[in-house]
């Protein structure tokens, strides 16, 4: 990563599609899909095997995992596919900035956490 030409970051705006896809999938699709899949398995398909209290705890864990993208693996996959390392750094950096603001509200919404 340190052998990269970080001056080329200014050219990322010429191809923003990858950034938009990453942001949309990580923050508008994946957490809600994970919630839906977890509900399907824990409250419908395996309802006879898992008590409701335990299914609710499993759902909370699935939501936390679904709302937290694994940014460290992005570097590994980018390297394995001979991707653009500077673009990868920008993707991870912007995604981590979004985590600071979006993770809490999304998890709070999906888990129905309230201040009441």
């Amino acid at each position: 990563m340190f052998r990269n030409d970080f001056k080329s970051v200014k050219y990322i705006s010429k191809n923003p599609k990858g950034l938009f896809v990453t942001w949309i999938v990580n923050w508008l699709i994946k957490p809600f899909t994970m919630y839906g899949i977890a509900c399907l398995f824990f409250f419908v398909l395996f309802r006879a095997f898992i008590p409701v209290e335990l299914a609710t705890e499993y759902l909370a864990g699935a939501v936390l995992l679904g709302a937290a993208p694994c940014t460290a693996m992005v570097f590994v996959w980018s390297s394995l596919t001979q991707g653009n390392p500077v673009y990868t750094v920008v993707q991870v950096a912007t995604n981590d900035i979004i985590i600071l603001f979006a993770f809490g509200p999304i998890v709070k919404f999906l888990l129905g956490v309230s201040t009441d």
Side-chain angles (χ1 to χ4, degrees), residues 64-110:
L64 289 171
L65 287 173
C70 180
T71 58
M73 284 304 296
V74 175
F75 291 113
V76 175
W77 294 117
S78 177
S79 176
L80 290 173
T81 61
Q82 286 105 31
N84 182 337
V86 174
Y87 200 89
T88 303
V89 168
V90 172
Q91 277 185 310
V92 170
T94 57
N95 201 49
D96 288 347
I97 290 169
I98 294 171
I99 287 172
L100 295 173
F101 300 101
F103 181 80
I106 288 174
V107 169
K108 183 177 179 179
F109 172 75
L110 290 174

Side-chain angles (χ1 to χ4, degrees), residues 15-112:
N15 186 15
K17 190 184 336 179
L19 293 173
F20 292 131
V21 168
T22 299
W23 298 336
I24 289 168
V25 169
N26 279 345
W27 300 107
L28 298 178
I29 297 174
K30 191 173 61 86
F32 301 96
T33 304
M34 181 64 113
Y35 177 83
I37 291 170
C39 284
L40 173 69
F41 277 90
F42 298 139
F43 295 107
V44 177
L45 298 176
F46 296 121
R47 180 179 52 202
F49 306 106
I50 302 173
V52 174
E53 298 81 22
L54 187 58
T56 303
E57 292 176 14
Y58 286 163
L59 174 67
V63 166
L64 289 171
L65 287 173
C70 180
T71 58
M73 284 304 296
V74 175
F75 291 113
V76 175
W77 294 117
S78 177
S79 176
L80 290 173
T81 61
Q82 286 105 31
N84 182 337
V86 174
Y87 200 89
T88 303
V89 168
V90 172
Q91 277 185 310
V92 170
T94 57
N95 201 49
D96 288 347
I97 290 169
I98 294 171
I99 287 172
L100 295 173
F101 300 101
F103 181 80
I106 288 174
V107 169
K108 183 177 179 179
F109 172 75
L110 290 174
L111 296 180

